[in-house]
């Protein structure tokens, strides 16, 4: 009996830690979406827009993950499946923006791209640090970790694109990096959906 109590209490403590971490990273990503989306529109940057949509997707992901913390494995797998679909939809949105930029080209403001990509890198680095200890706990937290890890690559890519825009004085580096971010988002979506479907079949 004591052993069952210990296991139950341990599970409750883990869920409480997960809930606390998710609340923090949810707030960070929701705030960063508005900040970076505004910067993307002002700076005419498709890659920065992709970065902001990634933050929005993460905020929704963390909100769903917060809901799933106390649920059983089946519910967590379904939530992870939905998160994978959200990531896929974000990639479709960026593709539409890329196509638009091909027909209506505009030179991004590289200073805006550089400054806000570094701001995003700092915020997402903090999220990654907070989520590190949860990355192997269950399918729910594993998918959250996947999203956060992608954010670091996105921020670094946008920063590199800013430098390339400055060097070349063209908008092509912004579009190329945006395409790379789309591929990253799609790869992440496939991985999260695949993992969730495996959990649902068990």
């Amino acid at each position: 009996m004591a052993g069952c109590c210990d296991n139950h209490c341990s599970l409750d403590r883990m869920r409480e830690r997960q809930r606390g971490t998710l609340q923090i990273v949810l707030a960070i990503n929701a705030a960063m979406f508005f900040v970076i989306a505004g910067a993307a529109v002002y700076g005419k940057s498709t890659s920065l827009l992709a970065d902001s949509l990634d933050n929005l997707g993460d905020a929704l992901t963390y909100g769903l993950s917060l809901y799933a913390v106390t649920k059983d494995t089946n519910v967590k797998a379904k939530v992870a499946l939905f998160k994978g679909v959200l990531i896929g939809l974000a990639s479709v949105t960026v593709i539409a923006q890329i196509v638009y930029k091909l027909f209506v080209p505009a030179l991004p403001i590289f200073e805006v791209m550089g400054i806000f990509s570094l701001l995003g890198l700092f915020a997402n680095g903090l999220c990654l640090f907070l989520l590190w200890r949860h990355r192997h706990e269950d399918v729910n937290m594993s998918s959250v970790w996947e999203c956060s890890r992608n954010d670091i690559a996105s921020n670094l890519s946008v920063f590199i694109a800013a430098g390339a825009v400055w060097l070349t004085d063209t908008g092509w580096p912004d579009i190329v990096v945006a395409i790379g971010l789309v591929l990253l988002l799609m790869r992440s979506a496939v991985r999260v959906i695949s993992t969730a479907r495996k959990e649902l079949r068990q």
Side-chain angles (χ1 to χ4, degrees), residues 84-153:
V85 173
L86 286 179
I87 296 171
L89 289 176
S91 67
V92 171
T93 303
V94 180
I95 290 171
Q97 178 67 12
I98 290 170
V99 172
Y100 174 79
K101 278 292 182 70
L102 291 175
F103 289 98
V104 187
L107 183 65
I109 303 174
F110 69 85
E111 296 95 337
V112 173
M113 293 174 64
I115 291 170
F116 284 91
S117 62
L118 287 178
L119 180 62
L121 182 63
F122 173 78
N124 289 316
L126 177 59
C127 291
L128 194 69
F129 172 76
L130 293 171
L131 291 166
W132 177 267
R133 63 176 176 169
H134 302 294
R135 67 192 187 284
H136 297 310
E137 288 177 349
D138 54 40
V139 65
N140 183 41
M141 299 306 291
S142 177
S143 61
V144 168
W145 162 257
E146 178 82 24
C147 292
S148 186
R149 187 178 61 181
N150 286 346
D151 292 342
I152 299 296

Side-chain angles (χ1 to χ4, degrees), residues 91 95 98 176-189:
S91 67
I95 290 171
I98 290 170
V176 169
V177 167
I179 292 172
L181 293 179
V182 166
L183 294 175
L184 184 67
L185 285 170
M186 292 177 68
R187 177 174 174 269
S188 180

Side-chain angles (χ1 to χ4, degrees), residues 21-33:
T21 300
L22 287 170
Q23 287 172 342
I24 295 171
V25 296
L26 170 60
I28 291 172
N29 276 271
M32 290 308 298
F33 162 68

Side-chain angles (χ1 to χ4, degrees), residues 28-47:
I28 291 172
N29 276 271
M32 290 308 298
F33 162 68
F34 289 106
V35 171
I36 296 181
V41 172
Y42 177 77
K44 302 175 183 177
S45 171
T46 305
S47 60

